[in-house]
Amino acid sequence: MKRILSAALACAVLLAGCAAPASTSGAPGGTSAVSAPEPTPAPTPSPAPKEVSLEEWRAAMPANAPVFTFADAEPALNKDVLWPDQVELIVRAWQGTLEEADAAFGLPAGSFSELDDPDYPPPEGAMSTHAEGYVLTKTPVQQVTVDLPWVSNSYENTSTGTLPASLDEQAAGALAAARYFLYYHHGMHHGLEPSDYDNATDSYIVTEGAMYTRYSELEQFLGCVFTPGAYGEMMGGPLAAGEAPAPSLFYQGEGDTIRYMMGDRGGSITFCGAVFTEPVLQPDGSLLFWQLSLNLDDLDGNFQGWGEGVQHTPTLAFATPVRLVPSDNGWRVAEYSLPN
């Protein structure tokens, strides 16, 4: 099994103090605030986290646990998308100075400037920043496939994507499982299907053929993938008799059933694919890196949509943080948002 990072990275800091709840917003460059490091002396690095095997980690999941397979891969974007020489790098929720943003992305001083985008205002206490002429690095990647053969909906029982090659199997599996769940059940779509509609509470009750049908199993699975703070934002706890679920939460119904209010959202038509920076082990023991969501500029008047044989080159890269933290049983996803 690959080591997560070499010992030489143990003291490296890409961006210290970057901590925020995991965002399930799929808009490019989600609104999780990204903090800059405090000007204090460098802390003593934490001991290397305990390495947990993929099978040890899966053994803590419910009886039905996804199967993970790994393969070598090359960095690539969506079909009919050309690799850009450079892009405009945008961080929509930066907490810190522009100089600290330059340092976080390894750019010369003065590269970042504040961005005024009224359509995507930053959260309170943060600012939108951007830097022109950012050169994408082709971080080595691996292909990770998540299989859930018991799921009846064929479009939901498998998912394949690329992740940084330096992540070990358990870390890559956790991130791949997080991406799967957010894409199919809590991001692009909210809900577990098949399900039955309940008129009394205007909600759905999960039925056989879904990923999980018991609330306790869903909570157990999410607890193996996300940090408590991250998956806690998805779970609503017991639902009182006659009570209607709130959107974007899963509830425990009678008999440990799963109840929810269904919801969907669209993605950006200008999305071209996502790439990652290299994961870096932080002094607190977490792994931090950036997901760069590549997009076309739909305001320049040249984009007329996707068509057979038409190739486009992305011009924008929206950066959102990805953070994994160690636990007694492997890595957990603390921050990750869908790129599109």
Side-chain angles (χ1 to χ4, degrees):
M1 180 182 294
K2 293 172 292 187
R3 296 288 180 182
I4 294 172
L5 289 172
S6 67
L9 292 179
C11 297
V13 178
L14 173 63
L15 180 64
C18 171
S23 169
T24 56
S25 169
T31 57
S32 292
V34 183
S35 302
E38 294 292 334
T40 56
T44 301
S46 298
K50 172 188 174 183
E51 186 170 325
V52 174
S53 72
L54 183 70
E55 291 311 311
E56 284 180 288
W57 173 63
R58 289 183 68 250
M61 290 187 177
N64 279 342
V67 176
F68 300 87
T69 54
F70 306 86
D72 294 335
E74 294 294 330
L77 302 177
N78 292 352
K79 182 182 177 182
D80 296 328
V81 175
L82 302 176
W83 194 274
D85 292 329
Q86 59 184 32
V87 292
E88 179 186 358
L89 180 62
I90 299 173
V91 186
R92 282 184 169 152
W94 178 258
Q95 288 185 333
T97 66
L98 296 174
E99 292 77 14
E100 288 162 340
D102 293 333
F105 287 92
L107 295 175
S111 295
F112 269 98
S113 59
E114 191 165 358
L115 175 65
D116 182 17
D117 187 351
D119 293 330
Y120 295 95
E124 185 177 356
M127 64 177 168
S128 292
T129 63
H130 68 135
E132 301 283 354
Y134 181 77
V135 178
L136 293 177
T137 300
K138 291 188 176 182
T139 301
V141 295
Q142 59 182 314
Q143 179 177 282
V144 185
T145 299
V146 184
D147 284 309
L148 302 88
W150 70 91
V151 174
S152 61
N153 291 338
S154 59
Y155 63 90
E156 290 182 1
N157 60 25
T158 188
S159 174
T160 300
T162 56
L163 298 174
S166 61
L167 296 176
D168 73 13
E169 287 186 348
Q170 189 275 315
L175 187 53
R179 180 192 178 279
Y180 165 86
F181 190 81
L182 293 179
Y183 189 88
Y184 288 110
H185 304 300
H186 196 68
M188 301 293 288
H189 171 75
H190 178 74
L192 294 167
E193 299 180 73
S195 60
D196 291 333
Y197 180 67
D198 176 37
N199 284 291
T201 58
D202 188 25
S203 67
Y204 293 82
I205 304 172
V206 179
T207 59
E208 289 298 326
M211 180 184 184
Y212 294 112
T213 59
R214 298 169 61 85
Y215 184 90
S216 57
E217 290 181 329
L218 177 60
E219 190 170 39
Q220 182 181 354
F221 168 78
L222 293 178
C224 290
V225 174
F226 296 94
T227 61
Y231 81 80
E233 294 186 347
M234 308 177 198
M235 309 299 281
L239 189 68
E243 181 183 358
S248 299
L249 290 173
F250 293 101
Y251 288 86
Q252 184 178 35
E254 184 178 356
D256 201 26
T257 55
I258 302 172
R259 303 181 72 114
Y260 66 93
M261 184 181 293
M262 191 176 294
D264 293 278
R265 71 160 177 82
S268 171
I269 193 175
T270 65
F271 177 69
C272 298
V275 298
F276 296 95
T277 62
E278 187 66 41
V280 176
L281 190 63
Q282 303 297 294
D284 65 0
S286 68
L287 281 173
L288 177 64
F289 50 109
W290 295 88
Q291 178 178 249
L292 304 180
S293 174
L294 303 180
N295 283 253
L296 306 175
D297 186 351
D298 59 355
L299 300 179
D300 66 5
N302 295 320
F303 179 61
Q304 302 299 320
W306 300 95
E308 188 65 30
V310 178
Q311 294 183 311
H312 297 279
T313 304
T315 57
L316 305 173
F318 297 95
T320 51
V322 183
R323 185 185 287 275
L324 307 180
V325 300
S327 75
D328 291 339
N329 183 38
W331 296 95
R332 300 292 187 270
V333 178
E335 292 183 84
Y336 174 73
S337 55
L338 294 177
N340 61 332

